Amino acid sequence: MAALAAVALAGAAGSAPEGLAASLQVEGMQRISSHTPFPGPCGRDSPIVNVGAEVEPYIAVHPRNPRRLAVAWMQDSGRSNVVASSRDGGRTWTRALVPGLSECTGGVEPTAADPWLSFGAGRSLYLGSVVGTIPETTQPLTGMVASRSLDGGRSWRVPRFVQPVNGGVWDKPTITADPRRARRAYLVFDRRTGEDAITGLSYVARTDDGGSTWSPLHVILDPGTSDSVPASNILSILENGTLLNVGFLYGAPERVQYLAQRSRDRGVTWSRRTKIGDAPNRQPVGATGAEVSALALPSTAVAPDGTVYVVWADLESTNASSVRIAGSRDGGRSWSRARIVTRLSGQAFVPAVAVTGEGTVGVLYYRARPDDPADPEWTTDVLFSYSRDGARRWRTKRIARPFDLNTAERDGGELFLGDYEGLAGRPHGFAAAFAQARPRAKSGYSDIFFARLRVRR
């Protein structure tokens, strides 16, 4: 089976110079966030940390109507999650707040963060969020909620708790709607335990009634050690109904691991984990010692032919990095050896992968250029690499003007644009959502931008 998995990524890997990528067209680039909808305190405990910091966007495309798009992001360092939706392929956008999500929208919890969107069958659009209290000096007190929209994201039902705020540290939700069952969706998330939250477990819950009720939690990943934390699990539903979870394990060792597990009973039981790859346990660091809050989290996508791709960033040093990809053609049972999408001067972080209906594989990511301590700016690019031949050969292009990473918000002292950005495949191209700091940002620390990416043949 290993030989079969390797076929998808066989051949020479590399990245062509930007000048050879003329067939990639960037269309409809626009800023879709605006001034904060929360100019003042929202409640007794509502934090105002960095007003005007829009970060961590995620994008979803309706599987049967690609003109319907939705983007969610964290507003003002997590005072709430905001959703923008489009019915015309991203030309115009309507912004919406989720009632009851946080104090800023009539809820009881001061913070909402980590948005994740997924369109399902029919009219269902789901939003997963973490809510609770995130103090600066002590451990967070958080829970998990899920919301549902039936009009593409313009209006939302009041969120339902999947995991109540009960004194634990619950983190990193990702939500996946079933593309064949309109009222079924899965929410995957983690619980951090132990002193300094350095151990933990990953869980999944399922709804079969459109989010009104959720199943008991089932454990996906138990590291079985006292110094490892699972994080950022991403669930895919394969063509035969099998669930494939790709997770991330980090902790005391100097390298992180990417792991896959399968379930054939709707998430109740899970296979043994299979290792996909690993990477250095590092975050980008500037010349003055400023660190970027950007763990080497994975991103996943399933191609029309069933191939599953996983990408991550590999930080070799402050002046050299790469983006890597592994693939599976047998539903995640076995994986190809990780290959290089591109090698870069500087530091790559938070890559996102997607596949078009035609099978083109795309990867969106940031590249912080080598930092000069004599220059107050830390120039950062938004890059896009794509492959038309099953991730064998790649071309790379910068899709937006550079920005100064040093002007982004500082989350606990670390520069922050988000733990992920958004990329989704469409029948004939990609939809991208990403955060940029000044001077590209015009309202506060950072803004959310949208673009359509089309590969011309």
Side-chain angles (χ1 to χ4, degrees), residues 19-40:
L20 298 180
S23 59
L24 178 69
Q25 302 297 317
V26 181
E27 303 170 346
M29 176 75 72
Q30 60 178 295
R31 180 169 63 102
I32 60 173
S33 64
S34 186
H35 298 290
T36 177
F38 315 122

Side-chain angles (χ1 to χ4, degrees), residues 54-189:
E54 291 93 13
V55 296
E56 202 161 271
Y58 193 78
I59 191 168
V61 176
H62 194 285
R64 292 181 177 83
N65 184 356
R67 292 174 60 81
R68 289 205 165 203
L69 312 171
V71 177
W73 63 82
M74 288 169 53
Q75 181 70 52
D76 301 346
S77 297
R79 287 202 291 163
S80 198
N81 292 332
V82 174
V83 179
S85 60
S86 174
R87 296 179 176 179
D88 57 10
R91 290 173 175 79
T92 61
W93 294 84
T94 300
R95 186 173 65 176
L97 304 178
V98 180
L101 185 59
S102 70
E103 286 184 346
C104 286
T105 63
V108 297
E109 300 297 338
T111 296
D114 294 353
W116 199 274
L117 292 167
S118 182
F119 277 105
R123 298 183 298 157
S124 297
L125 172 63
Y126 294 89
L127 169 69
S129 305
V130 58
V131 298
T133 303
I134 306 179
E136 293 185 7
T137 58
T138 59
Q139 288 191 13
L141 301 174
T142 54
M144 295 290 144
V145 298
S147 317
R148 186 186 184 207
S149 171
L150 294 177
D151 59 7
R154 295 195 172 193
S155 63
W156 292 87
R157 295 180 178 179
V158 173
R160 295 297 180 97
F161 273 97
V162 181
Q163 169 57 49
V165 179
N166 62 2
V169 183
W170 302 87
D171 196 21
K172 301 306 298 176
T174 63
I175 199 163
T176 303
D178 193 312
R180 290 170 287 276
R181 295 181 179 268
R183 297 171 65 82
R184 178 175 294 169
Y186 298 86
L187 189 70
V188 180
F189 49 92

Side-chain angles (χ1 to χ4, degrees), residues 166-332:
N166 62 2
V169 183
W170 302 87
D171 196 21
K172 301 306 298 176
T174 63
I175 199 163
T176 303
D178 193 312
R180 290 170 287 276
R181 295 181 179 268
R183 297 171 65 82
R184 178 175 294 169
Y186 298 86
L187 189 70
V188 180
F189 49 92
D190 315 303
R191 184 181 185 183
R192 299 184 184 182
T193 58
E195 186 176 357
D196 296 326
I198 60 171
T199 59
L201 300 169
S202 296
Y203 296 89
V204 63
R206 185 187 75 250
T207 181
D208 291 313
D209 58 11
S212 295
T213 61
W214 290 82
S215 72
L217 305 187
H218 298 287
V219 174
I220 299 178
L221 176 59
D222 180 355
T225 66
S226 60
D227 60 357
S228 295
V229 182
S232 193
N233 292 268
I234 304 173
L235 196 70
S236 299
I237 303 176
L238 305 182
E239 185 67 28
N240 63 2
T242 298
L243 305 183
L244 174 64
N245 182 70
V246 172
F248 168 89
L249 192 64
Y250 74 103
E254 294 184 358
R255 298 187 72 82
V256 300
Q257 297 182 54
Y258 306 100
L259 308 169
Q261 293 175 275
R262 293 161 46 92
S263 172
R264 302 190 67 178
D265 56 9
R266 297 182 297 171
V268 177
T269 61
W270 292 85
S271 68
R272 292 184 178 181
R273 56 185 184 252
T274 301
K275 185 177 177 180
I276 301 170
D278 56 22
N281 189 10
R282 298 173 182 159
Q283 299 187 131
V285 180
T288 61
E291 193 167 15
V292 182
S293 179
L295 293 170
L297 300 178
S299 176
T300 69
V302 182
D305 67 358
T307 303
V308 183
Y309 295 102
V310 178
V311 303
W312 62 87
D314 191 317
L315 295 181
E316 301 164 11
S317 70
T318 57
N319 293 317
S321 61
S322 61
V323 176
R324 297 178 182 261
I325 188 167
S328 172
R329 294 189 64 184
D330 57 12

Side-chain angles (χ1 to χ4, degrees), residues 419-438:
D419 290 328
Y420 48 82
E421 53 188 331
L423 184 69
R426 304 177 72 198
H428 305 291
F430 300 88
F434 48 91
Q436 290 185 283
R438 301 170 187 161

